[in-house]
Amino acid sequence: MPRIAGHKAGTETARTTIETCARLKIEALTLYAFSVENWRRPKTETDFLMQLLREYLRQEMPLIQKNNIRMRFLGRADDLPEAVQRDTREAERETAKNTGTVLCVALNYGGRAEIVDAVNQILEESRAGGGRVTEEEFAQKMYTAGLPDPDLLIRTSGEMRVSNFLLWQIAYAEIYVTDTLWPDFNRARLLEAFVDYQKRERRYGGIGENKNHKPVRAAGE
């Protein structure tokens, strides 16, 4: 089957993943929808993906609102088609007052691009008299400013790489790799990933059991 069939099937997986995380009160979920490198694909495919995203936002907004989900989009928005920019801004506006799971959609996103954009913003501010920059201050220049770093990175399709995804934020994330392809990644597979995460001991460079365990923040593609 053509790749676009997989993309369309993947929207069903996204719906299940989002709804499950909302019901489990997962603090934040980031889905990798479209990378800066994906523009190298055939124009027919990228056009289809942009249209699919717009249709998804329209169709899924009632479910998103029902589950009290707040939406954010991470990436270089200015390079997206104007219609997509308009729809993403509207989705953020409509869900801005929701208090449940924060759903981040990485759209025209690249981890290296995000770091470069943050550095350029810092350089602009340094010309106005800024000094040395701390990790905390740097994090506030990232697309994810105000959000906690993810606790769990789920990698489908058995790929043993992070694919330029949240490079700064996943420094201490637990990584879960499954051979299951994204269109086949159902609720059972998601819960398996969470159970596996719960068995791990997180030390953040120290020793002994972490006594301050917090609700999981998941990042997946």
Side-chain angles (χ1 to χ4, degrees):
M1 298 179 71
R3 280 199 302 270
I4 59 175
H7 295 317
K8 196 161 187 177
T11 62
E12 299 295 327
T13 300
R15 177 187 298 114
T16 300
T17 301
I18 293 165
E19 188 171 27
T20 302
C21 287
R23 289 182 176 180
L24 293 176
K25 300 187 184 303
I26 300 297
E27 186 176 354
L29 168 69
T30 302
L31 298 178
Y32 205 173
F34 192 90
S35 74
V36 292
E37 293 83 11
N38 285 155
W39 293 113
R40 301 171 186 169
R41 297 188 179 190
K43 188 175 185 301
T44 53
E45 184 175 354
T46 59
D47 287 347
F48 174 82
L49 287 169
M50 293 297 113
Q51 184 59 33
L52 184 63
L53 172 69
R54 298 188 66 204
E55 292 176 1
Y56 184 84
L57 289 176
R58 287 194 295 270
Q59 294 172 2
E60 299 302 313
M61 188 53 65
L63 182 65
I64 288 171
Q65 296 286 26
K66 177 183 177 181
N67 285 282
N68 194 30
I69 294 168
R70 178 162 62 93
M71 295 198 72
R72 284 182 61 170
F73 292 86
L74 315 178
R76 291 178 169 174
D78 292 344
D79 295 332
L80 294 168
E82 180 56 40
V84 175
Q85 293 185 46
R86 184 172 59 250
D87 288 354
T88 54
R89 288 194 300 266
E90 181 67 13
E92 288 184 332
R93 186 192 66 79
E94 289 184 7
T95 63
K97 294 182 180 180
N98 292 346
T99 58
T101 296
V102 179
L103 170 62
C104 299
V105 179
L107 185 62
N108 196 31
Y109 175 87
R112 290 181 175 181
E114 179 181 22
I115 292 171
V116 167
D117 289 349
V119 170
N120 284 329
Q121 186 176 347
I122 290 169
L123 289 174
E124 284 293 326
E125 294 179 0
S126 68
R127 295 190 183 102
R132 294 174 61 85
V133 179
T134 65
E135 288 187 13
E136 292 74 19
E137 291 168 334
F138 189 87
Q140 291 305 309
K141 307 302 181 187
M142 307 292 276
Y143 304 148
T144 53
L147 292 173
D149 289 341
D151 298 306
L152 175 64
L153 170 66
I154 300 173
R155 181 72 223 225
T156 58
S157 308
E159 299 286 359
M160 302 298 289
R161 61 176 184 268
V162 296
S163 296
N164 200 19
F165 184 49
L166 299 179
L167 298 180
W168 173 272
Q169 297 88 339
I170 63 171
Y172 282 100
E174 296 293 320
I175 299 177
Y176 178 85
V177 179
T178 174
D179 289 331
T180 304
L181 303 177
W182 174 247
D184 300 321
F185 189 76
N186 56 23
R187 182 176 286 107
R189 302 288 83 77
L190 177 63
L191 295 178
E192 284 176 2
F194 288 163
V195 169
D196 182 88
Y197 168 82
Q198 290 175 324
K199 296 176 181 177
R200 302 189 188 186
E201 180 182 353
R202 308 189 70 200
R203 297 186 295 273
Y204 298 95
I207 58 175
E209 183 178 359
N210 174 34
K211 301 299 184 181
N212 298 311
H213 183 74
K214 297 179 180 179
V216 63
R217 280 86 61 152
E221 59 174 325

